[in-house]
Amino acid sequence: MPRIHVDVPLAAGQPLDLPPGAARHVQVLRLQPGALITLFNGQGGEWTAAVTQIGRSSVQVEVQSHEAVEREIGPQVSIALAMPANDRMDTLVEKAVELGVAAIQPLMSERSVLRLSGERAQRKQAHWQGIAVAACEQSGRNRVPRVAPVMTFSAWLAEQAAQPDTADTTRWLLGFGEAALPLPQRLQPRAPARLKLLSGPEGGLSPAEVEAAQRAGFLPTSLGPAVLRADTAPLAALAAVALAGGMAAGVAPAPAG
């Protein structure tokens, strides 16, 4: 059954004119009146709906039953990363959502290749948010992670230093060095309930940025001896945390599809 995200309130028995993007989705799939689809709005669970009318540019459905199903991983992991160049950020957002990320914060650090500001940064944020929605539709997630506006590393870190986390939140800085503890050890005796992952750009964070991050409470965490790409490192860490959290909760991995 096709899964479609709609950013509107939903209720059983409700006739609903689908928003333009969702309506186009139905039309591209060439669905006919009577076809069933799954709707979700990010507020929890999902709804079955039946297509009732299809016009040239509009689609109406009738919302039916609600299923309070959640497919989130145990830990709530947010990623702050210096944006990789080219289309690598698109793929990173897609895969991070599939792996269960709760939020994504794009950053510009001293050594960042990709630099965005103004209207261009806003367009990119909207583009990445759309990728996050599409990844939720594909993967079965019912809560759409937020892709935050682009910030400079220094501005974002200043916010983190000024805002204390809850007692169950841990901060990790992905990287190398003698102070970096291997990620498997960070996951002992269990995966953190809430985690903020900070990852650098292609050339790595500068020494000053690393020092500032550690002062803000980010613990140096190593992913092993291999040098991973800027778009690979956060995904590897996220996958490890998701697996550890799922195993601790006794959650079986979902079949690929």
Side-chain angles (χ1 to χ4, degrees):
M1 190 184 304
R3 302 185 74 256
I4 300 175
H5 174 260
V6 290
D7 191 16
V8 297
L10 297 172
Q14 165 192 3
L16 175 67
D17 290 317
L18 293 182
R24 284 195 298 273
H25 194 159
V26 170
Q27 291 169 329
V28 166
L29 292 173
R30 300 184 181 277
L31 300 182
Q32 300 298 317
L36 296 179
I37 60 176
T38 298
L39 300 178
F40 66 102
N41 60 4
Q43 302 303 309
E46 57 193 25
W47 302 78
T48 299
V51 177
T52 54
Q53 295 182 26
I54 299 181
R56 294 186 62 182
S57 59
S58 65
V59 174
Q60 187 176 80
V61 302
E62 180 178 302
V63 182
Q64 298 180 344
S65 58
H66 177 258
E67 184 177 0
V69 59
E70 295 291 353
R71 301 185 182 93
E72 301 301 295
I73 65 172
Q76 292 189 14
V77 185
S78 61
I79 294 177
L81 73 155
M83 302 170 291
N86 302 319
D87 295 330
R88 295 184 185 276
M89 185 66 177
D90 290 12
T91 302
L92 191 152
V93 170
E94 178 185 73
K95 301 310 177 187
V97 172
E98 291 177 9
L99 289 168
V101 75
I104 299 173
Q105 173 63 66
L107 299 175
M108 291 184 294
S109 65
E110 290 182 22
R111 298 173 178 172
S112 290
V113 175
L114 179 60
R115 296 189 173 275
L116 302 171
S117 61
E119 185 178 345
R120 185 172 176 231
Q122 293 173 1
R123 289 198 305 268
K124 278 293 189 180
Q125 179 198 3
H127 171 69
W128 292 327
Q129 190 65 65
I131 290 175
V133 168
C136 285
E137 290 176 337
Q138 183 276 328
S139 65
R141 291 187 65 182
N142 290 322
R143 297 189 182 274
V144 181
R146 177 175 181 259
V147 181
V150 177
M151 296 182 67
T152 64
F153 178 90
S154 57
W156 176 79
L157 197 61
E159 283 189 357
Q160 299 304 303
Q163 297 175 358
D165 290 324
T166 57
D168 60 351
T169 300
T170 301
R171 299 179 176 190
W172 291 353
L173 168 63
L174 300 182
F176 295 85
E178 295 181 0
L181 194 68
L183 186 142
Q185 293 185 40
R186 290 276 186 226
L187 291 171
Q188 298 300 322
R190 63 184 64 85
R194 299 175 185 271
L195 175 63
K196 291 183 178 180
L197 286 176
L198 173 58
S199 188
E202 287 86 342
L205 297 174
S206 70
E209 288 172 330
V210 170
E211 183 179 349
Q214 291 184 249
R215 287 199 305 269
F218 285 86
L219 306 174
T221 303
S222 170
L223 294 172
V227 179
L228 301 182
R229 288 183 177 271
D231 52 314
T232 303
L235 295 178
L238 179 59
V241 174
L243 180 60
M247 291 177 64
V251 178

